């Protein structure tokens, strides 16, 4: 049995920094990305944090430039 008190959940700000770092290392801008495969844990906390991070990086897109978001399990 696992004690849930020992799990760490990353915050949206740290996930956004990780996304921004990956974009930078790839030589891309957020506007270069059209489709994103999300991790989507299926939990209220995890998915909410992930979507907050995604929105903070990709949410300020020009009108007519959608970001397709998916998650395959």
């Amino acid at each position: 049995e696992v004690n849930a008190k020992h799990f760490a959940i990353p915050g949206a700000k740290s996930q956004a920094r990780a996304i921004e770092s990956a974009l930078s290392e790839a030589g891309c801008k957020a506007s270069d990305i059209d489709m994103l495969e999300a991790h989507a844990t299926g939990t209220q906390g995890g998915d909410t944090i992930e979507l907050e991070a995604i929105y903070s990086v990709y949410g300020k897109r020009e009108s007519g430039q959608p970001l397709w978001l998916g998650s395959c399990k």
Side-chain angles (χ1 to χ4, degrees):
E1 188 171 330
V2 177
N3 185 340
K5 292 179 185 178
H6 298 287
F7 284 106
I9 300 172
K13 288 181 183 179
S14 62
Q15 284 196 4
R17 284 192 304 270
I19 293 168
E20 290 166 344
S21 176
L23 287 169
S24 177
E25 287 184 32
C28 296
K29 299 176 293 191
S31 60
D32 295 331
I33 307 301
D34 295 323
M35 197 282 177
L36 184 71
E37 178 73 19
H39 179 251
T41 61
T43 64
Q44 183 178 4
D47 288 353
T48 301
I49 291 168
E50 183 177 22
L51 288 174
E52 284 179 32
I54 290 168
Y55 183 76
S56 75
V57 176
Y58 298 101
K60 297 165 187 74
R61 301 168 73 82
E62 292 184 27
S63 178
Q65 186 190 15
L67 175 69
W68 298 96
L69 181 61
S71 178
C72 296
K73 297 292 178 195

